[in-house]
C-alpha cells in the first residue's frame, strides 16, 4: 500500500480532526502485489502524491499515481490544513537551500513538481494512470486565452496525458456529492482503457467524493496474461484451538485402537530388527503408513468447520452491518428516488434479511432514523458478544497453557497476550521496512532462438520451464569424477556389487587408469579414509520426537501429503505416547530396512526470489519434505555432526558453520590476518571463493562414503542415497503447485543429485562432505604463518576459513616455506618473491577448484575475488603503504578441472578496496569508508521507513532495539571505527531513538546516552555496542584458545613489543 501522508501528523498542532486534510492511497491486491517494483510517497514529505510501479513482461512498467491537492488558502481555513503543512515543509526547504526570498505557493509547487515527476516516468517508458483530488474544476482552470499556469488542465496539457473523465464519456457534472463540483481528475498515458464509470451507491461511505473506476486491459498493458495466485492449503488443526485439538486427539486415539495401528507397527518393527523383511512386509508397512495418514487427515477434517473461502466476519456481525447499510440507504432514498437507489435497497434488504412487509412499509424520516439507531445498537451488542467469545477462547487457551507449564492462569493469560502483541508488533515493523512475503508469479527465461530474455506469467508455462531447469540443474554434478558420467562412479555406486566403498574407507581402493596422473584426485581420495570414530548407534525414541517438534514452528511449510507440522506438534503434546511411538516405529523401520516409504518419495521444490531478479537461473530452490522424514534426517545427521565436532574429527579450525561457532569468528579471522600482515610486514594474499549451487552439488552415493568416514552406519547412508535417487519432484510458486513432475531416477545413467536444500540433513551432510576437501587442502596447500615473538610460544598456521559455501584462503610469505622453501631460497629480489607468492596463490586456487570438483561441485569464478597484500612502512613517517596491482602485477586464473583450455580470471582488487564478506566490508589496508557509508545508508533506510509507516512510539522503540541496532551495528565488530567515523550514522540513530521515546530530536545527547545511574536514559551508542561485542568475542576466543585466540595472542604480543611494554598483556 502507498499513501499520501506528510510527516506532520505527529505534531500536536496538526491533530485537530476538524482540519484534517484529504489524501489518496493505492492498494495492490492478489497476484499484482508480487509485481510491485516501487511503492513510494512524495519525497518532499508534503503529502502531495504517492505512486506504485508494477513490472510486467519484458520490463514493462506501469505506474499508478494518486494525489491530493490542497484547497486554496482563505481566512476561514484552520492552521492544520494540508496547505499549512506544505507551507512548513517548503519553508524548511527554503532555509536549507539558502534562498529565503523565494515565494512558494503549495498548490502551484505541487503541480510543478508533479509535472517533472510525470515527465521522468514518461522518459523511462512507463505507462501511467493518474488520479486524485485536484480541488479545481475545468472552468476554474480556463482563462480567456489558454489555461491557467500550474492548474490541473495545464498539467495535463504539459505532460500530454489524456483526461479520462472527459474523453471517454460526456464530462460528469460533478465528482462529489455537491452539484457542479467536478474537482476530481483521472489521467492516462499509454494505458489501454476499456471503460470508465462511477459507483452509484455512494451513501454508505462517509465521503463527499463519488467513487469512480477505470477498467484497464492488463493483459495488453503488461505484455501477457497473468494467472491468479494460489491460496495456501487450509490448516484446520492448530494448537491454540483447544476444542479442535481435543476433538482431533479423541478421534485419533479411537481409530488407533479400532484398527490396531500400534500392534501392527510393532510387529513390522520387530521383523525389521531381526533382518527378516521381504517385499510383502514393505507393502504392509506402506499400507499401514497410508492408513495412519488417512486417520490423521480425517481427524483434522472433523476437528473444525473452517473453509478456504470462508469469510472472516461472523454471520451475526455481517447481518448487523448490512442492516445499518439498509437503513442508511433508505434514509438517503427520501431525497433521491433514482432507479439504482431502488435496486440497491432491494439488494441490501435481501442481505440484511429484512422482511418484504417491513421493506414496503411507509416510514417517516424520524421513524427511519429510529430504525437506524436500533440497527446500530444491535450491531454493538453483537460486537460485545464477539468480544466475550474472544475472551472465553483466551481463557481456554490460558487454562491449557497453565496446565502444561504448571503456572497460574493469570500468568498464562499475560503470556498469551504478550505473545500476540509481540507478533502483531513485529508484523507492523516488517511491513514498515518493506519486508513482505511475495509469491513468485513470473519468471524470466532466455529465448533459445533470439537469446533475448522473455517473461513468462502463465502457470503452465512457468511450471514447465521450472521443471525442465531444475531437472537439468540437479543433473550437473553427473559430469564430475564421482557423478554418473564420471569415471569413478562405479567405486561408490550402491547398485554395483563390486563397488569399493569399504576400500575407499580403508585407503586401499584402486583408481581407474585415467586418474593415474591426476595428483589432486589421488590426494582427495586418500582423505576418504575412515576417521577413528565409533560407528554411530542409532536409537530413535519418543522423547526425540517430542524434543524435535517442540522447537519447531507450527506454521513451518512441509509435507506434500498434508501431514504437516501441526499434526506432529499436537501429537508431541498428547498425554498418551502411543501415537508418536507408532510414528517413530514406522519411520525407524523404513530407515533400518533402507526402504523409504512411498509417501516420502514426493518432494515439492518451492521457488524463491533471492533478490537478484526473477531470471530462472537466479532463483533459489527450497525442497519441502514430509515432516516425519525431516525428523529422521535431522536427528541422524545432526547427531553425527555434533559428535564428530565434539571429538575434533572435523577440521574445526576452518569450519565456522559448526555447532557453537558463528560467522563473526570467520570475519575476525580475516581481520586478524590483515592486522598480522601489517604488524609483521609480510607479503600475503587472500582468495575468496564462492561455490556454485553448494547443496545441489552433493552426490548422494559419494556423501554416503564421506558420512561413513565419520562413523555413520552404512544402512543410513544407503537409505539416503535410495531416497534421493527415487524422489519425485514438483515445483511450487505463487501460482500454485505444478501438476507435472519429474523423477530423479528416470534415467539411471543420468540421475538427479543434490543434498535436498531445505531438509534438516542438508547442512550437516554438506559440512561432513566438504571436510574431505578442507582436510586435503591443509595437507597440500600453502598457509599463512605468523611467529610469536617468544619462540617458546610457537606460531599460528592458518589455511582457510569456511562458512557454509563461502571459503577464504590465506597465505603469507612465511607460509611459502612449507612447500616452496627451495623456490623461495632461489629468489634474489622482492619482485621474485612477489611473483612466487602469486604463482602459489594461482596453484592453490586451482587445487581447491579440483578438490571441490571431486566433491561434486564447481567454483563460481564471477563471484570470487583475490587481493595481494604487501605492506611497507615508511622509515621517515612510519606510515604503512600497500603495494598496488601496477607495482605487483599478476592474476589468478581458474582452469576447468576436466578441460584446462576453459579458463576464468578471478577479479583482483586493490588493498584499499573493501569487499563484502559474510555481511562485513573489509579492506586489507584497514580503511572503513565503504562500511561507514553502508551503515549510514542502512540507518537512513530504517529512519525513512519508520517515519513513513507512522508506527506508535512503543513499536518504534521495539524496532529500534530489536531490528535497527542489530542491523546497523552487526558488521562493526570487525571494523576499527572511531566515534568520529560513526558520528553521521549515530546522528540518524539518535533521531530514531528520540522519536521512539517521544523526545525532541535535539534532546541532549549526553542525557540520551548517559548511564541511568547518573540520570541518563542509557541508550548505548553504536561505538559502545561494537566495543561490547568485541570484548565478548575477545574473551571467548582467548578462553577457548582456538585459531582466532592464537592469532589474538600473537598480535597482542607483537603490539607489546611495538609499544615497549616489558610484561605480557595476558
Amino acid at each position: 500500500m502507498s499513501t499520501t501522508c506528510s510527516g506532520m501528523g505527529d505534531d500536536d498542532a496538526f491533530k485537530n480532526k476538524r482540519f484534517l486534510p484529504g489524501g489518496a492511497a493505492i492498494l495492490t491486491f492478489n497476484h499484482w502485489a508480487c509485481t510491485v517494483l516501487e511503492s513510494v510517497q512524495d519525497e518532499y514529505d508534503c503529502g502531495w502524491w504517492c505512486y506504485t510501479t508494477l513490472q510486467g513482461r519484458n520490463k514493462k512498467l506501469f505506474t499508478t499515481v494518486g494525489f491530493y491537492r490542497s484547497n486554496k488558502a482563505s481566512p476561514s481555513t484552520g492552521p492544520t490544513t494540508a496547505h499549512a503543512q506544505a507551507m512548513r515543509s517548503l519553508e524548511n526547504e527554503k532555509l536549507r537551500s539558502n534562498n529565503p526570498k523565494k515565494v512558494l505557493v503549495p498548490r502551484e509547487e505541487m503541480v510543478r513538481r508533479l509535472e517533472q515527476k510525470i515527465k521522468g516516468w514518461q522518459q523511462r517508458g512507463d505507462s501511467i494512470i493518474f488520479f486524485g483530488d485536484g480541488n479545481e474544476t475545468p472552468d476554474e482552470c480556463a482563462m480567456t486565452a489558454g489555461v491557467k499556469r500550474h492548474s490541473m488542465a495545464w498539467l495535463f496539457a504539459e505532460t500530454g496525458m489524456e483526461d479520462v473523465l472527459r474523453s471517454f464519456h460526456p464530462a460528469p457534472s460533478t465528482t462529489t456529492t455537491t452539484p457542479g463540483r467536478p474537482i476530481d481528475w483521472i489521467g492516462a498515458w499509454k494505458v489501454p482503457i476499456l471503460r470508465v464509470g462511477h459507483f452509484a451507491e455512494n451513501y454508505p461511505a462517509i465521503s463527499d467524493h463519488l467513487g469512480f473506476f477505470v477498467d484497464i486491459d492488463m493483459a495488453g498493458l503488461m505484455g501477457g496474461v497473468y494467472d491468479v495466485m494460489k491460496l495456501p492449503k487450509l490448516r484446520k488443526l492448530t494448537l491454540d484451538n483447544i476444542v479442535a485439538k481435543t476433538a482431533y486427539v479423541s478421534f485419533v486415539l479411537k481409530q488407533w485402537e479400532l484398527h490396531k495401528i500400534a500392534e501392527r507397527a510393532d510387529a513390522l518393527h520387530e521383523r525389521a530388527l531381526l533382518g527378516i523383511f521381504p517385499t510383502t512386509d514393505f507393502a504392509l508397512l506402506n499400507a499401514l503408513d497410508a492408513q495412519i495418514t488417512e486417520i490423521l487427515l480425517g481427524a483434522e477434517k472433523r476437528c473444525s468447520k473452517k473453509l478456504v473461502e470462508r469469510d472472516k466476519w461472523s454471520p451475526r456481525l455481517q447481518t448487523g452491518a448490512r442492516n445499518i447499510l439498509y437503513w442508511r440507504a433508505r434514509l438517503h432514498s427520501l431525497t433521491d428516488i433514482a432507479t439504482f437507489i431502488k435496486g440497491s435497497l432491494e439488494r441490501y434488504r435481501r442481505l440484511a434479511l429484512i422482511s418484504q412487509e417491513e421493506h414496503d412499509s411507509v416510514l417517516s424520516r424520524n421513524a427511519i432514523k429510529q430504525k437506524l439507531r436500533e440497527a446500530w445498537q444491535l450491531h454493538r451488542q453483537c460486537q460485545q458478544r464477539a468480544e466475550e467469545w474472544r475472551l472465553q477462547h483466551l481463557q481456554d487457551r490460558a487454562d491449557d497453557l497453565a496446565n502444561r507449564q504448571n503456572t497460574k492462569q493469570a500468568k498464562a493469560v499475560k503470556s498469551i497476550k504478550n505473545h500476540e502483541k509481540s507478533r502483531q508488533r513485529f508484523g507492523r515493523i516488517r511491513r514498515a521496512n518493506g519486508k513482505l512475503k511475495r509469491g513468485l508469479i513470473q519468471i524470466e527465461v532466455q529465448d533459445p532462438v533470439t537469446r533475448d530474455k522473455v517473461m513468462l506469467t502463465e502457470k503452465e508455462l512457468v511450471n514447465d520451464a521450472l521443471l525442465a531447469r531444475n531437472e537439468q540443474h540437479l543433473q550437473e554434478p553427473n559430469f564430475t569424477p564421482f557423478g554418473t558420467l564420471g569415471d569413478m562412479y562405479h567405486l561408490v555406486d550402491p547398485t554395483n556389487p563390486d563397488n569399493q566403498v569399504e576400500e575407499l574407507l580403508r585407503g586401499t581402493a584402486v583408481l581407474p587408469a585415467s586418474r593415474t596422473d591426476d595428483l589432486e584426485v589421488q590426494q582427495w581420495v586418500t582423505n576418504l579414509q575412515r576417521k577413528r570414530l565409533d560407528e554411530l548407534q542409532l536409537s530413535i525414541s519418543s522423547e526425540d520426537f517430542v524434543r524435535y517438534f517442540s522447537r519447531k514452528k507450527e506454521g513451518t511449510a512441509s509435507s506434500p501429503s498434508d501431514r504437516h507440522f501441526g499434526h506432529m506438534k499436537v501429537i508431541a503434546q498428547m498425554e498418551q505416547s502411543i501415537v508418536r511411538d507408532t510414528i517413530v516405529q514406522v519411520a525407524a523401520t523404513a530407515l533400518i530396512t533402507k526402504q523409504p516409504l512411498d509417501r516420502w518419495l514426493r518432494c515439492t521444490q518451492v521457488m524463491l526470489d533471492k533478490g537478484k531478479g526473477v531470471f530462472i537461473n537466479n532463483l533459489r530452490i527450497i525442497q519441502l519434505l514430509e515432516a516425519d522424514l525431516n525428523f529422521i534426517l535431522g536427528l541422524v545427521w545432526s547427531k553425527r555432526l555434533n559428535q564428530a565436532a565434539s571429538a575434533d574429527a572435523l577440521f574445526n579450525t576452518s569450519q565456522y558453520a559448526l555447532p557453537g561457532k558463528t560467522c563473526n569468528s570467520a570475519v575476525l579471522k580475516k581481520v586478524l590476518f590483515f592486522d598480522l600482515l601489517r604488524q609483521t610486514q609480510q607479503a600475503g594474499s587472500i582468495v575468496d571463493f564462492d561455490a556454485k549451487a553448494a547443496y545441489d552439488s552433493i552426490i548422494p552415493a559419494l556423501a554416503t562414503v564421506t558420512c561413513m568416514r565419520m562413523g555413520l552406519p552404512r544402512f543410513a547412508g544407503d537409505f539416503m542415497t535410495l531416497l534421493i535417487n527415487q524422489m519425485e519432484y514438483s515445483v511450487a510458486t505463487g501460482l500454485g503447485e505444478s501438476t507435472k513432475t519429474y523423477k530423479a531416477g528416470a534415467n539411471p545413467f543420468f540421475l538427479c543429485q543434490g543434498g535436498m536444500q531445505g531438509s534438516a540433513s542438508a547442512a550437516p551432510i554438506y559440512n561432513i562432505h566438504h571436510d574431505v576437501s578442507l582436510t586435503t587442502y591443509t595437507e597440500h596447500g600453502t598457509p599463512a604463518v605468523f611467529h610469536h615473538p617468544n619462540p617458546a610460544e610457537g606460531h599460528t598456521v592458518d589455511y582457510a576459513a569456511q562458512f557454509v559455501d563461502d571459503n577464504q584462503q590465506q597465505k603469507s610469505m612465511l607460509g611459502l616455506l612449507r612447500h616452496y622453501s627451495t623456490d623461495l631460497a632461489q629468489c634474489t629480489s622482492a619482485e621474485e618473491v612477489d611473483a612466487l607468492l602469486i604463482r602459489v596463490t594461482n596453484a592453490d586456487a586451482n587445487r581447491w577448484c579440483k578438490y571441490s570438483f571431486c566433491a561434486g561441485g564447481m567454483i563460481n569464478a564471477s563471484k570470487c575475488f583475490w587481493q595481494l597484500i604487501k605492506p611497507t612502512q615508511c622509515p621517515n613517517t612510519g606510515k604503512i603503504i600497500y603495494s598496488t596491482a601496477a607495482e605487483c602485477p599478476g592474476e589468478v586464473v581458474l582452469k576447468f578441472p576436466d578441460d584446462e583450455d576453459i579458463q576464468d580470471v578471478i577479479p583482483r582488487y586493490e588493498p584499499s578496496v573493501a569487499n563484502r564478506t559474510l555481511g562485513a566490508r573489509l579492506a586489507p589496508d584497514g580503511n572503513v569508508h565503504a562500511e561507514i557509508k553502508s551503515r549510514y545508508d542502512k540507518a537512513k533506510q530504517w529512519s525513512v521507513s519508520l517515519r513513513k509507516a507512522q508506527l506508535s512510539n512503543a513499536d518504534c522503540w521495539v524496532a529500534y532495539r530489536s531490528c535497527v541496532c542489530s542491523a546497523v551495528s552487526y558488521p562493526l565488530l570487525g571494523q576499527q571505527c572511531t566515534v568520529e567515523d560513526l558520528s553521521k550514522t549515530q546522528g540518524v540513530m539518535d533521531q530514531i531513538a528520540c522519536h521512539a521515546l517521544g523526545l525532541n530530536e535535539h534532546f541532549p545527547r549526553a542525557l540520551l546516552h548517559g548511564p541511568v545511574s547518573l540520570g541518563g536514559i542509557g541508550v548505548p551508542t553504536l561505538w559502545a555496542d561494537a566495543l561490547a561485542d568485541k570484548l565478548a568475542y575477545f574473551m571467548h576466543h582467548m578462553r577457548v584458545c582456538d585459531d582466532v585466540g592464537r592469532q589474538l595472542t600473537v598480535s597482542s604480543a607483537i603490539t607489546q613489543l611495538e609499544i615497549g611494554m616489558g610484561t605480557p598483556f595476558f
Side-chain angles (χ1 to χ4, degrees):
M1 181 175 72
S2 178
T3 61
T4 59
C5 52
S6 70
M8 307 291 179
D10 289 336
D11 291 6
D12 291 334
F14 294 103
K15 288 185 177 179
N16 189 338
K17 291 186 178 180
R18 179 184 173 190
F19 299 114
L20 286 179
I26 303 170
L27 285 81
T28 310
F29 294 99
N30 207 337
H31 54 293
W32 297 117
C34 299
T35 66
V36 172
L37 189 66
E38 294 177 313
S39 187
V40 192
Q41 69 181 41
D42 74 278
E43 58 271 31
Y44 305 105
D45 201 24
C46 292
W48 279 336
W49 68 76
C50 61
Y51 67 90
T52 296
T53 300
L54 310 182
Q55 180 172 298
R57 287 185 174 184
N58 304 322
K59 309 296 184 184
K60 178 65 177 176
L61 299 179
F62 171 47
T63 298
T64 305
V65 188
F67 69 92
Y68 175 76
R69 189 178 182 220
S70 59
N71 284 304
K72 295 178 181 179
S74 67
S76 62
T77 58
T80 60
T81 60
H83 176 85
Q85 293 191 26
M87 281 300 299
R88 177 186 286 192
S89 292
L90 294 176
E91 289 297 327
N92 291 336
E93 181 183 320
K94 284 166 57 176
L95 294 175
R96 288 193 298 267
S97 61
N98 294 322
N99 190 8
K101 294 184 179 181
K102 185 177 180 181
V103 177
L104 298 176
V105 180
R107 281 170 58 88
E108 295 181 359
E109 282 297 310
M110 179 262 185
V111 173
R112 186 180 66 81
R113 300 186 188 192
L114 190 53
E115 177 218 0
Q116 298 172 359
K117 198 77 176 175
I118 291 174
K119 287 184 176 179
W121 289 320
Q122 290 172 338
Q123 291 175 2
R124 193 173 68 174
D126 293 21
S127 297
I128 303 171
I129 195 76
F130 174 84
F131 63 89
D133 181 3
N135 272 314
E136 190 173 38
T137 66
D139 292 340
E140 292 171 342
C141 298
M143 297 182 66
T144 306
V147 294
K148 188 188 304 180
R149 185 173 176 80
H150 296 143
S151 65
M152 293 304 301
W154 176 87
L155 176 64
F156 275 68
E158 289 295 313
T159 58
M161 288 192 301
E162 186 174 15
D163 189 348
V164 174
L165 285 180
R166 296 160 187 86
S167 300
F168 279 74
H169 298 285
S173 59
T174 184
T175 60
T176 70
T177 53
T178 303
R181 290 285 293 165
I183 59 175
D184 294 319
W185 298 73
I186 300 178
W189 171 266
K190 294 184 178 179
V191 175
I193 295 177
L194 301 177
R195 62 174 177 153
V196 181
H198 69 89
F199 298 105
E201 300 174 20
N202 189 61
Y203 42 84
I206 305 175
S207 171
D208 62 341
H209 289 260
L210 299 177
F212 286 83
F213 64 86
V214 179
D215 265 358
I216 299 171
D217 179 12
M218 291 298 288
L221 176 64
M222 302 294 276
V225 176
Y226 277 72
D227 284 339
V228 297
M229 293 185 71
K230 174 78 172 179
L231 291 175
K233 294 179 181 178
L234 176 68
R235 293 188 179 184
K236 297 185 176 183
L237 180 63
T238 60
L239 286 173
D240 294 339
N241 193 326
I242 310 301
V243 176
K245 187 172 68 172
T246 304
Y248 175 88
V249 172
S250 175
F251 180 83
V252 169
L253 291 176
K254 181 179 179 181
Q255 295 297 316
W256 230 254
E257 183 179 359
L258 178 64
H259 297 287
K260 308 294 182 185
I261 300 296
E263 292 80 356
R264 291 157 58 190
D266 188 60
L268 290 171
H269 187 64
E270 288 296 330
R271 289 202 289 274
L273 291 176
L274 295 173
I276 307 171
F277 208 80
T279 307
T280 53
D281 282 349
F282 183 63
L284 291 175
L285 184 67
N286 273 313
L288 177 62
D289 181 69
Q291 190 171 9
I292 292 174
T293 302
E294 184 180 355
I295 291 172
L296 297 182
L297 298 185
E300 183 181 18
K301 290 180 181 178
R302 287 169 173 79
C303 73
S304 175
K305 297 180 180 179
K306 288 197 300 186
L307 300 174
V308 177
E309 64 276 6
R310 76 183 184 94
D311 198 312
K312 294 182 179 180
W313 296 98
S314 71
R316 287 188 179 90
L317 284 174
Q318 279 186 333
T319 304
R322 289 165 180 168
N323 201 14
I324 294 172
L325 294 179
Y326 170 81
W327 291 111
R328 184 184 288 171
R330 188 159 175 181
L331 183 64
H332 185 82
S333 68
L334 295 178
T335 56
D336 191 346
I337 54 174
T339 305
F340 67 83
I341 294 294
K342 296 179 180 179
S344 60
L345 270 175
E346 177 60 26
R347 183 167 63 86
Y348 280 131
R349 183 195 70 79
R350 292 195 303 270
L351 294 175
L353 305 180
I354 303 293
S355 66
Q356 187 66 46
E357 292 77 14
E358 188 173 12
H359 177 67
D360 294 336
S361 62
V362 179
L363 298 176
S364 64
R365 178 182 293 273
N366 289 336
I368 294 176
K369 287 183 177 180
Q370 179 60 29
K371 290 284 187 181
L372 181 59
R373 284 193 290 270
E374 292 174 358
W376 270 111
Q377 184 178 4
L378 180 62
H379 184 61
R380 293 189 182 99
Q381 291 175 358
C382 291
Q383 288 179 319
Q384 185 177 359
R385 284 197 294 270
E387 183 64 25
E388 292 172 357
W389 291 333
R390 165 68 181 155
L391 292 176
Q392 182 60 45
H393 172 66
L394 178 62
Q395 201 74 22
D396 294 340
R397 286 180 59 192
D399 292 338
D400 180 69
L401 183 63
N403 291 332
R404 286 191 283 110
Q405 296 187 350
N406 193 23
T407 186
K408 295 181 180 179
Q409 188 189 60
K411 289 186 176 180
V413 170
K414 186 177 180 180
S415 174
I416 293 172
K417 287 185 175 180
N418 287 340
H419 173 72
E420 292 183 353
K421 185 178 180 180
S422 177
R423 180 173 55 83
Q424 294 170 358
R425 170 171 288 161
F426 279 100
R428 292 192 294 269
I429 294 171
R430 184 173 60 251
R431 290 190 295 273
N433 195 36
K435 302 293 185 182
L436 303 177
K437 297 180 180 179
R438 296 177 178 175
L440 186 71
I441 67 165
Q442 57 182 355
I443 63 171
E444 266 187 337
V445 298
Q446 194 172 43
D447 188 279
V449 179
T450 63
R451 313 302 294 174
D452 295 332
K453 290 184 179 179
V454 180
M455 189 76 76
L456 303 180
T457 54
E458 291 90 343
K459 178 181 177 180
E460 292 301 322
L461 294 178
V462 169
N463 289 340
D464 289 347
L466 290 173
L467 287 168
R469 179 260 177 182
N470 289 358
E471 184 174 17
Q472 293 175 4
H473 175 69
L474 294 180
Q475 290 171 345
E476 289 177 0
N478 289 323
F479 297 97
T480 60
F482 286 97
T484 55
L485 299 182
D487 55 354
M488 300 173 67
Y489 180 66
H490 66 280
L491 301 179
V492 297
D493 183 5
T495 63
N496 177 20
D498 299 324
N499 65 46
Q500 299 187 44
V501 171
E502 293 299 331
E503 289 81 358
L504 287 169
L505 294 170
R506 289 195 299 266
T508 60
V510 179
L511 301 185
S514 58
R515 298 295 175 178
T516 304
D517 299 327
D518 199 332
L519 184 60
E520 285 77 12
V521 171
Q522 293 177 14
Q523 293 169 352
W524 196 87
V525 171
T526 300
N527 274 295
L528 284 175
Q529 295 182 46
R530 194 189 301 270
K531 292 290 184 77
R532 293 182 179 178
L533 283 176
D534 295 332
E535 189 172 271
L536 179 66
Q537 299 299 317
L538 293 181
S539 59
I540 306 171
S541 65
S542 180
E543 289 73 21
D544 293 326
F545 184 95
V546 174
R547 194 179 304 110
Y548 179 85
F549 284 107
S550 63
R551 298 195 303 263
K552 300 296 181 181
K553 292 183 178 180
E554 185 179 6
T556 304
S558 68
S559 306
S561 70
D562 292 340
R563 274 176 58 170
H564 50 75
F565 271 76
H567 290 280
M568 302 297 110
K569 288 189 73 69
V570 171
I571 292 171
Q573 291 185 6
M574 289 173 62
E575 293 182 3
Q576 301 182 38
S577 64
I578 184 172
V579 177
R580 56 178 172 268
D581 288 342
T582 304
I583 292 176
V584 168
Q585 272 192 335
V586 170
T589 303
L591 177 63
I592 293 170
T593 59
K594 302 185 291 187
Q595 300 182 71
L597 298 172
D598 291 346
R599 177 172 54 86
W600 289 351
L601 299 179
R602 287 297 305 273
C603 175
T604 302
Q605 296 180 325
V606 180
M607 308 304 299
L608 302 177
D609 181 2
K610 294 192 292 185
K612 300 178 181 179
V614 293
F615 185 62
I616 193 168
N617 290 335
N618 292 336
L619 303 178
R620 174 176 281 123
I621 303 174
I622 298 295
Q623 309 194 49
L624 300 185
L625 306 178
E626 292 292 329
D628 53 341
L629 173 60
N630 247 331
F631 159 63
I632 293 294
L633 298 179
L635 181 68
V636 173
W637 272 268
S638 295
K639 184 182 292 187
R640 178 70 282 172
L641 177 68
N642 291 336
Q643 291 185 3
S646 301
D648 289 332
L650 291 169
F651 195 70
N652 290 351
T653 58
S654 291
Q655 292 207 53
Y656 291 90
L658 298 178
K661 294 195 174 187
T662 67
C663 64
N664 285 332
S665 297
V667 173
L668 289 177
K669 189 172 184 178
K670 189 173 184 178
V671 173
L672 287 168
F673 170 69
F674 294 153
D675 287 347
L676 287 168
L677 286 180
R678 174 183 51 79
Q679 288 179 297
T680 60
Q681 294 189 32
Q682 287 191 69
S685 67
I686 185 168
V687 186
D688 273 46
F689 292 99
D690 185 84
K692 181 180 179 182
Y695 290 104
D696 297 332
S697 67
I698 295 175
I699 300 172
L702 180 60
T704 297
V705 181
T706 58
C707 291
M708 289 176 64
R709 169 178 172 261
M710 292 293 177
L712 189 78
R714 175 70 178 269
F715 72 85
D718 289 344
F719 168 82
M720 173 64 79
T721 303
L722 193 62
L723 172 72
I724 296 178
N725 290 346
Q726 293 183 350
M727 193 67 73
E728 184 177 0
Y729 298 99
S730 60
V731 297
T733 63
L735 302 175
E737 188 174 349
S738 65
T739 55
K740 299 178 183 178
T741 60
Y742 69 91
K743 293 186 176 181
N747 183 351
F749 303 104
F750 205 56
L751 297 171
C752 291
Q753 311 289 352
M756 294 189 296
Q757 182 173 1
S759 68
S761 62
I765 289 177
Y766 184 86
N767 287 327
I768 293 173
H769 190 63
H770 281 270
D771 177 71
V772 182
S773 301
L774 280 171
T775 304
T776 309
Y777 180 77
T778 58
E779 294 178 0
H780 305 284
T782 302
V785 177
F786 300 102
H787 290 289
H788 195 283
N790 182 2
E793 296 291 339
H795 55 269
T796 66
V797 180
D798 294 297
Y799 291 87
Q802 180 156 329
F803 186 82
V804 193
D805 61 333
D806 292 321
N807 177 282
Q808 59 190 31
Q809 295 177 2
Q810 307 153 354
K811 45 187 60 66
S812 66
M813 188 176 65
L814 287 179
L816 298 176
L817 294 173
R818 176 163 186 181
H819 298 297
Y820 299 91
S821 56
T822 304
D823 300 270
L824 187 60
Q826 294 174 355
C827 295
T828 58
S829 64
E831 290 75 12
E832 291 183 0
V833 175
D834 297 339
L836 176 61
L837 181 60
I838 294 174
R839 177 163 61 87
V840 172
T841 303
N842 221 319
D844 280 357
N846 282 279
R847 181 176 286 112
W848 178 253
C849 187
K850 288 187 177 181
Y851 292 159
S852 299
F853 192 62
C854 287
M858 291 290 295
I859 299 299
N860 191 347
S862 62
K863 292 185 180 180
C864 302
F865 65 90
W866 76 285
Q867 291 171 298
L868 181 70
I869 308 153
K870 186 180 179 182
T872 305
Q873 187 171 20
C874 178
N876 298 323
T877 63
K879 185 178 180 181
I880 300 294
I881 301 173
Y882 289 83
S883 300
T884 63
E887 296 168 342
C888 299
E891 61 181 14
V892 175
V893 180
L894 282 185
K895 300 177 181 178
F896 194 82
D898 268 10
D899 188 352
E900 295 191 355
D901 292 335
I902 302 177
Q903 300 179 352
D904 279 319
V905 178
I906 296 181
R908 175 181 178 178
Y909 295 110
E910 297 288 356
S912 60
V913 176
N915 287 282
R916 193 171 184 269
T917 302
L918 298 176
R921 292 164 176 81
L922 304 174
D925 68 354
N927 79 78
V928 294
H929 304 311
E931 193 63 83
I932 293 300
K933 183 180 183 303
S934 172
R935 296 306 89 204
Y936 176 78
D937 293 341
K938 175 66 72 174
K940 198 66 178 177
Q941 173 201 339
W942 269 104
S943 175
V944 173
S945 299
L946 294 178
R947 188 185 73 235
K948 290 184 177 180
Q950 296 189 353
L951 301 177
S952 66
N953 286 354
D955 288 352
C956 286
W957 179 247
V958 171
Y960 176 80
R961 293 302 303 156
S962 302
C963 304
V964 183
C965 287
S966 56
V968 175
S969 65
Y970 157 71
L972 299 180
L973 172 67
Q975 302 287 355
Q976 299 298 323
C977 298
T978 64
V979 176
E980 290 74 19
D981 291 332
L982 294 170
S983 59
K984 190 176 179 182
T985 306
Q986 187 65 56
V988 179
M989 297 290 288
D990 289 346
Q991 286 183 359
I992 300 175
C994 289
H995 291 162
L997 293 171
L999 302 173
N1000 187 287
E1001 65 181 30
H1002 302 294
F1003 187 80
R1005 298 304 185 248
L1007 291 177
L1008 180 66
H1009 301 301
V1012 178
S1013 60
L1014 298 179
I1017 297 179
V1019 178
T1021 62
L1022 291 174
W1023 185 84
D1025 269 341
L1027 179 61
D1029 289 340
K1030 290 176 183 178
L1031 289 173
Y1033 273 89
F1034 177 83
M1035 296 303 299
H1036 166 74
H1037 287 294
M1038 292 296 289
R1039 284 171 178 168
V1040 299
C1041 198
D1042 56 1
D1043 54 332
V1044 176
R1046 288 189 292 272
Q1047 284 183 326
L1048 282 169
T1049 302
V1050 174
S1051 180
S1052 61
I1054 296 174
T1055 303
Q1056 175 192 340
L1057 291 181
E1058 288 176 346
I1059 65 175
M1061 188 172 180
T1063 56
F1065 291 150
F1066 303 99

